Amino acid sequence: MSAQQLAQLLINTLSPDATTRRAAERDLVSLQATPEFAQLILQLAQDPSQPKPVRQSAALSFKNWIKANWALEDAPTPLTTATAESLKSSIVSIMIALSSEPALQVQIGEAISIMAAADFPDNWEGLVDQLVTPLSPTDFVINNAVLQTAHSIFRRWRSEFRSDALFLEIKFVLDRFCAPYLSLFQQTDSLLSTPNLTPEQHTLLSKTLLLLLQLYHDLNSQDLPEFFEDRLPEFMNLLLKYLDWNPSPVAEDEDEEEEEATDLEKIKAEVCDIASLYSLRYLDAFGEGGFLQPFVERTWGLLTKLGKSVKYDSLVAKATGFLAVVVKMPSQRALFEAPATLEAFCEKIILPSMTLRSFEEEMFEDDPPEFVRRDLESANSETRRQAASDFTKALMEQFEAQITGIVTQYVGAYLAQYAADPKGNWKAKDTAIFLLTSIASRGSTMTQGVTSTNALVDVIKFFSDHVLSDLQAPAGSVHPIIQADAIKFLYTFRNQLTKDQLLSVLPLLVPHLLNPAFVIHTYAAITIERILFIKEGPAFMFTQVDIRPYAESILDALFKRIESGGTPQLIAANDQLMKSAMRVIITGRQALAPIYPTVLNHLVKILGEISKNPSNPKFNHFTFESISALVRFITAGNSSTLAEFEAALFPPFHAILQLDVSEFTPFVFQILSQLLESHDDNTLPAAYGALLPPLLTPALWEAKGNIPALVRLLRAFLSRGAADIIRDGQLPPMFGIFQHLIASKANDVFGFELLEALYEFVPLASLQQYMSNPVFVLLLTRLQGNKTDKFTQGLLRFICFAASLQKDGGEPNPDGVIAMLDGCQPQPGLFAQVLPVLLPEAQKAPTKDRKIIAVGLSNLLAKSESMLNAPNVQAWTPTMQALLRLFLLPGTLTPSTKATDEIDILDPDDTGYQASFSRLGASERVRPDPVAYVPEPRTYLATSLVAKSHAHPGVIRPLVGAVTAEFANPFMSYLSSNGFDLR
């Protein structure tokens, strides 16, 4: 393929036409497997004659290709060694060549960072030299490109866990990078001190200084290097200089809405970050060196000079963050304890930042999603209000009574202003509520809200006196921001209200769901969802009985608000609305039985619209989770409704699969599994039979996100229709899928899951022909040539599972399992060689697997004749020792206590959305325990061994006696004290 053909392919991947776009995406994936891809894609990114979208798409495609394939096992299009080495030798120079195209440079820089994370320093020793060599005393365009690249590699150190390997890597860099770094820092400082710089020179050098400071933070993030400690006065004086640096005066009429921070603000913010780092990590050097107090004084002075413009918000957050770090230190209490100082902090720093600015008021109307993000997710956004709130909390740690007294006076004054003129002074009440929230909350989490409060503040009284009336007020009778504040106050302090109080205010939120103001109906939806999520111990506070009177009105309001969007994008725009509906359904359970047809109709209608153009992954997830929860609880209460769900869901599911809506197919497969699993055992309805052949085609299994859901669906087919599958000759393609999965390090766990399903549900007569060859041949080949801990654990679990299963209604048949493995070669004895290799994995097995492993090993020891005869008897004692060691681990002897109707939903808000596969918690059911016939494994082993010893007197006791005394003696004592007698 030529570069121009690739350019056209990239343009097609941006096409609004879904068919064109998906075809181009598939062609691009195919091209990535060819040797010339890297050269062609980088050629396009660098070619100035190409249109900008092509160059940007090329750089992004290169970065994504590196991310998906560089040094990864099971990479979809792995790089050859020659390609990888060629890239490592050229990529830094390409990055530098793109210095005039920052949007492209950042993508290549991220690619270098990914490559370096895998290969540097061990397999890319020359990287630092490649970076240092181009540094120049005069060409700061190149310097900035080098520094940006270095920062993209080193910044990961800031968040990494300390380890010997990490410190060796940092030392490797320091030895090669520090001297040229200091030289460039001194040169940059000298040039910035030169008068009469042109604006272009000043901008270029300011960028250099910012990158130098970011690298200073990177290089010092884990420990204080000797190079920097020896030169601390020089560096600290430079940092103090640039904390005060004002090369051009600030205009008095500065635009409050100017959002983009300049490099000047970013430089000062980075200095504050470094000061925070040194205060937390290196206080001995920072404080005793006499630098802490000057930094505090200059930061305090800086905060009193900054204007209200949005561009200063990040700097305000970093500066107050540094002061908050120091304020919380008992050793620095004397710096702040004077009443006048505390008053000044409140008046000069806290109050100005707490007051709502004009641009925020406009944002409430013009960009409400951003208003919500900044307000509710403020811990993750550098807003002035959040910075002031965090600083207030820091002051409260050392001066709770004093700060509470000062702030309470301001709260009273603001409320009095509001009372005098509610319409004109509504901002005063907004400030009062935010101030009180800041001093009332002592501890909080995103999931649970406020968990502990200031004993000096009566939150409930404030709610009753000043908030409840706004919650009850009709829309339009109070300012909408005040009404939003009232809902948010309830959201914030939901844990401080009793269950009865919450039930009394829950109906007040329903009208707010119908309010056209985005912020208000979003806050109402979020608050309802979080109230219903409150737990008392392990159980939810609110039950289906509690929600029954309100469920219909809440769901009706939510669906009206969602469906009012009109287009797929607008319908899915607000995922909080669907999340709230999901929580009502999960809480309502069988209480929704009278209205479930209406609820289902709304969900199917919404699904039909959003499947036309999926745009919001969280909304999609909550939609399918809602459908799944409704199916789960309604069919559990009335199994006859299952047919109605299938009739309603099959048409949209069929359309999704026909149109290959890849974002939705894993969800569809999970709910199809749920529906099929809800049918009686050994019953495969005709409607499902037609679905199976397409599921066995290789193309579906190429999409990584489909695999977990497809394996579950095949398991459901096997559990309900094994006889039909055998009759229709569909076992061979299923074993072909197993072969495909087990060869993959990423997917072998799903291969074992499919194999267990085949072994569990297919009669042995039909299964026998596949087990030695190909199944165990494939497993042993992988074990010998490409094993991982995960694979060996999976193989041990499967052998134990097969040895435990009461197959075809009979007793466990461990000898049959041994024979299957031995059948891989003409001479017996292979099992005796393989099992000891796997036994160490028993100690690493997850808790959920330990009982199966314990029962399987017990059956091999006490139910097998082969294990008592040569050559397998040589594995008996090691197996016994591994089992006795397993008994010492928690969870082996204790059955799971998870309730069968408990739902474990992985909220994308909490876990981060998984692009490839998102599990539907509501769709899953607790699988029957395959070893339920064993109440307690140790007793089962003892009973079985005693029976075996009676059948083979004088054989078992010596084998047990050969176990290490550390493990054998406690077991023999257990046998004796419980009346078990080995002969």
Side-chain angles (χ1 to χ4, degrees):
M1 177 176 284
S2 68
Q4 199 53 47
Q5 288 172 316
L6 178 56
Q8 185 58 51
L9 190 62
L10 293 173
I11 291 171
N12 289 346
T13 64
L14 306 174
S15 171
D17 178 68
T19 303
T20 303
R21 185 174 66 250
R22 288 180 180 140
E25 289 168 351
R26 283 193 293 268
D27 290 345
L28 186 62
V29 170
S30 299
L31 183 62
Q32 288 171 353
T34 61
E36 66 269 17
F37 176 75
Q39 179 184 349
L40 284 174
I41 203 78
L42 287 172
Q43 180 183 330
L44 285 178
Q46 297 174 83
D47 185 355
S49 67
Q50 292 290 342
K52 192 171 184 179
V54 169
R55 297 184 70 186
Q56 289 177 335
S57 181
L60 181 61
S61 294
F62 175 76
K63 189 276 296 287
N64 289 340
W65 177 64
I66 291 293
K67 184 177 181 180
N69 295 282
W70 190 271
L72 292 179
E73 296 175 348
D74 290 306
T77 53
L79 289 78
T80 64
T81 302
T83 300
E85 291 303 318
S86 173
L87 283 173
K88 283 191 283 190
S89 66
S90 62
I91 195 66
V92 171
S93 59
I94 292 172
M95 169 80 168
I96 292 168
L98 290 171
S99 55
S100 61
E101 298 284 351
L104 305 178
Q105 186 188 59
V106 72
Q107 299 296 339
I108 306 301
E110 288 182 19
I112 293 174
S113 179
I114 294 163
M115 295 162 62
D119 284 20
F120 176 77
D122 295 343
N123 298 317
W124 199 357
E125 290 187 0
L127 175 58
V128 177
D129 293 333
Q130 288 177 311
L131 293 172
V132 167
T133 301
L135 290 174
S136 161
T138 55
D139 192 337
F140 280 81
V141 172
I142 288 179
N143 290 343
N144 286 355
V146 171
L147 296 177
Q148 182 66 58
T149 307
H151 176 50
S152 73
I153 297 167
F154 305 152
R155 66 186 172 196
R156 63 183 172 83
W157 295 342
R158 298 189 187 190
S159 57
E160 291 207 355
F161 291 111
R162 297 163 73 91
S163 68
D164 291 343
L166 177 62
F167 281 103
L168 286 172
E169 179 182 332
I170 294 173
K171 184 179 185 304
F172 182 90
V173 171
L174 292 169
D175 291 344
R176 292 159 176 77
F177 193 75
C178 283
Y181 169 82
L182 176 60
S183 176
L184 184 58
F185 206 147
Q186 292 168 333
Q187 173 74 356
T188 304
D189 174 56
S190 174
L191 290 171
L192 282 169
S193 302
T194 303
N196 304 320
L197 285 175
T198 67
E200 291 77 14
Q201 290 172 325
H202 184 274
T203 299
L204 188 63
L205 289 168
S206 294
K207 180 64 175 177
T208 307
L209 178 61
L210 174 60
L211 289 165
L212 288 165
L213 290 169
Q214 289 170 335
L215 282 163
Y216 188 99
H217 192 157
D218 299 337
L219 297 169
N220 286 262
S221 59
Q222 289 287 339
D223 203 356
L224 180 55
E226 183 179 348
F227 181 90
F228 290 92
E229 189 171 12
D230 292 344
R231 297 163 179 79
L232 203 58
E234 179 181 358
F235 278 114
M236 289 300 110
N237 286 328
L238 281 170
L239 296 182
L240 283 167
K241 171 183 176 179
Y242 288 105
L243 190 60
D244 277 344
W245 190 42
N246 284 301
S248 56
V250 178
E252 290 187 11
D253 59 347
E254 191 173 37
D255 184 3
E256 182 183 307
E257 296 186 29
E258 186 180 349
E259 293 190 27
E260 190 64 38
T262 68
D263 283 339
L264 177 62
E265 287 78 54
K266 293 176 183 177
I267 285 165
K268 296 184 178 186
E270 194 64 52
V271 170
C272 291
D273 256 352
I274 294 168
S276 296
L277 172 70
Y278 269 67
S279 300
L280 287 167
R281 291 275 188 91
Y282 319 125
L283 187 59
D284 288 348
F286 191 49
E288 292 176 11
F291 303 112
L292 178 62
Q293 188 162 347
F295 269 92
V296 169
E297 291 171 351
R298 295 200 192 185
T299 303
W300 160 253
L302 172 67
L303 283 167
T304 60
K305 298 172 190 172
L306 294 175
K308 293 183 178 182
S309 175
V310 183
K311 71 176 184 177
Y312 296 124
D313 283 9
S314 180
L315 174 54
V316 169
K318 300 291 189 185
T320 53
F322 164 59
L323 291 181
V325 166
V326 182
V327 160
K328 287 191 281 190
M329 296 177 178
S331 61
Q332 306 302 318
R333 181 184 174 97
L335 280 175
F336 309 104
E337 64 184 353
T341 302
L342 297 176
E343 286 273 7
F345 276 154
C346 291
E347 181 183 345
K348 302 291 186 183
I349 295 179
I350 295 173
L351 291 181
S353 293
M354 290 282 190
T355 305
L356 201 68
R357 288 171 288 175
S358 298
F359 96 92
E360 290 163 323
E361 185 181 351
E362 292 169 6
M363 185 184 292
F364 184 93
E365 297 287 344
D366 301 334
D367 191 4
E370 178 62 11
F371 184 96
V372 172
R373 188 195 68 80
R374 289 166 58 95
D375 196 30
L376 285 190
E377 301 175 20
S378 50
N380 299 320
S381 60
E382 294 173 339
T383 65
R384 294 204 185 200
R385 280 193 153 187
Q386 184 61 32
S389 179
D390 290 344
F391 185 51
T392 304
K393 290 180 173 69
L395 287 167
M396 296 275 287
E397 288 192 22
Q398 295 291 325
F399 312 103
E400 183 174 67
Q402 298 96 311
I403 295 298
T404 301
I406 295 168
V407 172
T408 301
Q409 288 181 350
Y410 283 114
V411 169
Y414 281 126
L415 289 173
Q417 289 179 31
Y418 177 75
D421 182 5
K423 193 170 183 179
N425 293 335
W426 64 267
K427 283 188 181 180
K429 184 167 187 178
D430 173 75
T431 305
I433 292 173
F434 205 92
L435 274 172
L436 185 114
T437 300
S438 296
I439 61 168
S441 170
R442 294 188 65 185
S444 64
T445 67
M446 282 292 290
T447 302
Q448 299 296 336
V450 172
T451 53
S452 61
T453 56
N454 181 350
L456 302 174
V457 178
D458 190 339
V459 171
I460 303 302
K461 186 175 188 305
F462 187 87
F463 176 76
S464 300
D465 293 348
H466 303 290
V467 177
L468 182 59
S469 59
D470 296 329
L471 204 59
Q472 296 168 322
S477 59
V478 296
H479 195 282
I481 290 181
I482 295 300
Q483 203 147 49
D485 287 340
I487 302 170
K488 185 189 172 188
F489 192 91
L490 175 59
Y491 160 83
T492 303
F493 293 105
R494 58 190 181 274
N495 279 306
Q496 282 60 58
L497 274 69
T498 66
K499 180 176 180 178
D500 288 341
Q501 288 171 327
L502 288 169
L503 281 173
S504 69
V505 297
L506 195 61
L508 301 179
L509 293 169
V510 177
H512 297 301
L513 293 171
L514 297 171
N515 192 310
F518 180 95
V519 176
I520 290 177
H521 65 243
T522 300
Y523 281 10
I526 292 171
T527 304
I528 289 171
E529 195 277 330
R530 288 291 91 181
I531 286 174
L532 296 179
F533 190 75
I534 295 173
K535 290 186 174 181
E536 289 181 320
F540 288 107
M541 176 185 286
F542 294 95
T543 67
Q544 56 181 302
V545 174
D546 299 316
I547 195 65
R548 180 181 286 118
Y550 317 112
E552 183 173 9
S553 60
I554 294 173
L555 288 171
D556 184 58
L558 285 167
F559 289 136
K560 280 183 180 176
R561 179 54 52 205
I562 292 168
E563 291 167 1
S564 68
T567 67
Q569 291 91 334
L570 292 177
I571 285 172
N574 194 338
D575 48 83
Q576 295 294 350
L577 296 173
M578 187 54 79
K579 184 179 181 182
S580 187
M582 175 197 75
R583 185 64 57 195
V584 173
I585 292 169
I586 289 172
T587 307
R589 303 193 172 205
Q590 280 87 14
L592 300 181
I595 62 167
Y596 90 87
T598 303
V599 176
L600 179 61
N601 183 55
H602 281 295
L603 291 171
V604 169
K605 180 180 177 183
I606 291 166
L607 177 61
E609 287 299 315
I610 62 175
S611 64
K612 295 174 183 175
N613 188 5
S615 57
N616 185 342
K618 288 182 181 180
F619 187 94
N620 302 340
H621 183 102
F622 295 139
T623 301
F624 280 100
E625 201 75 77
S626 298
I627 293 170
S628 179
L630 195 66
V631 170
R632 177 183 183 132
F633 294 119
I634 299 302
T635 59
N638 182 357
S639 59
S640 67
T641 59
L642 182 58
E644 296 175 39
F645 278 103
E646 290 170 337
L649 294 172
F650 273 24
F653 285 1
H654 180 74
I656 288 165
L657 297 176
Q658 283 286 100
L659 295 171
D660 188 24
V661 185
S662 58
E663 298 92 337
F664 287 2
T665 50
F667 294 127
V668 168
F669 292 142
Q670 288 178 81
I671 295 181
L672 286 173
S673 301
Q674 179 187 8
L675 292 167
L676 183 51
E677 289 162 359
S678 301
H679 283 275
D680 295 335
D681 290 348
N682 301 316
T683 303
L684 184 63
Y688 290 89
L691 288 174
L692 184 55
L695 302 182
L696 302 178
T697 57
L700 267 183
W701 296 83
E702 294 303 320
K704 190 163 62 172
N706 285 341
I707 289 172
L710 279 171
V711 168
R712 180 184 170 192
L713 185 51
L714 290 190
R715 178 184 175 83
F717 271 101
L718 286 163
S719 69
R720 298 299 184 269
D724 301 276
I725 289 168
I726 296 166
R727 181 197 65 213
D728 296 336
Q730 292 167 329
L731 278 183
M734 286 196 179
F735 278 104
I737 290 167
F738 158 75
Q739 181 175 354
H740 171 73
L741 296 176
I742 212 68
S744 162
K745 290 182 180 179
N747 296 320
D748 52 18
V749 63
F750 303 112
F752 280 118
E753 186 178 340
L754 178 57
L755 181 60
E756 284 190 10
L758 286 160
Y759 195 86
E760 180 174 359
F761 299 115
V762 176
L764 197 56
S766 301
L767 196 66
Q768 193 80 42
Q769 60 181 308
Y770 300 100
M771 292 308 299
S772 294
N773 189 3
V775 170
F776 273 114
V777 168
L778 289 169
L779 293 174
L780 296 181
T781 302
R782 169 77 196 275
L783 180 69
Q784 185 176 22
N786 200 12
K787 72 175 181 179
T788 62
D789 287 349
K790 182 163 64 75
F791 177 83
T792 49
Q793 287 174 27
L795 179 53
L796 176 63
R797 179 194 149 97
F798 173 69
I799 289 173
C800 291
F801 174 85
S804 303
L805 201 64
Q806 293 178 315
K807 191 155 180 60
D808 301 338
E811 288 297 306
N813 183 16
D815 283 329
V817 179
I818 294 172
M820 289 174 188
L821 204 154
D822 278 345
C824 293
Q825 63 180 24
Q827 298 299 320
L830 188 57
F831 184 84
Q833 299 171 40
V834 171
L835 185 60
V837 174
L838 303 178
L839 289 174
E841 299 302 322
Q843 306 303 305
K844 306 173 189 176
T847 303
K848 66 181 179 63
D849 292 344
R850 288 176 189 164
K851 184 183 177 186
I852 286 177
I853 292 173
V855 174
L857 295 181
S858 297
N859 286 341
L860 288 167
L861 292 166
K863 303 283 186 182
S864 166
E865 291 296 321
S866 298
M867 284 290 284
L868 297 181
N869 300 312
N872 294 320
V873 70
Q874 67 189 14
W876 201 101
T877 297
T879 302
M880 184 68 178
Q881 181 154 318
L883 179 56
L884 294 180
R885 291 184 67 191
L886 184 63
F887 284 158
L888 300 178
L889 296 176
T892 306
L893 305 177
T894 308
S896 172
T897 56
K898 183 176 178 180
T900 56
D901 65 344
E902 182 181 329
I903 294 182
D904 181 20
I905 290 177
L906 296 178
D907 188 340
D909 284 344
D910 302 329
T911 63
Y913 181 74
Q914 302 298 311
S916 58
F917 175 74
S918 286
R919 182 172 60 81
L920 293 178
S923 77
E924 298 192 340
R925 56 171 61 191
V926 177
R927 288 183 184 170
D929 182 2
V931 289
Y933 63 88
V934 178
E936 199 276 327
R938 187 168 54 173
T939 304
Y940 177 73
L941 173 66
T943 305
S944 302
L945 284 178
V946 168
K948 200 70 170 178
S949 74
H950 286 193
H952 299 274
V955 175
I956 301 298
R957 182 176 282 274
L959 290 171
V960 176
V963 173
T964 305
E966 176 189 356
F967 303 107
N969 291 345
F971 183 66
M972 295 303 289
S973 298
Y974 168 79
L975 294 178
S976 177
S977 62
N978 286 276
F980 294 110
D981 179 29
L982 289 181
R983 293 185 181 177

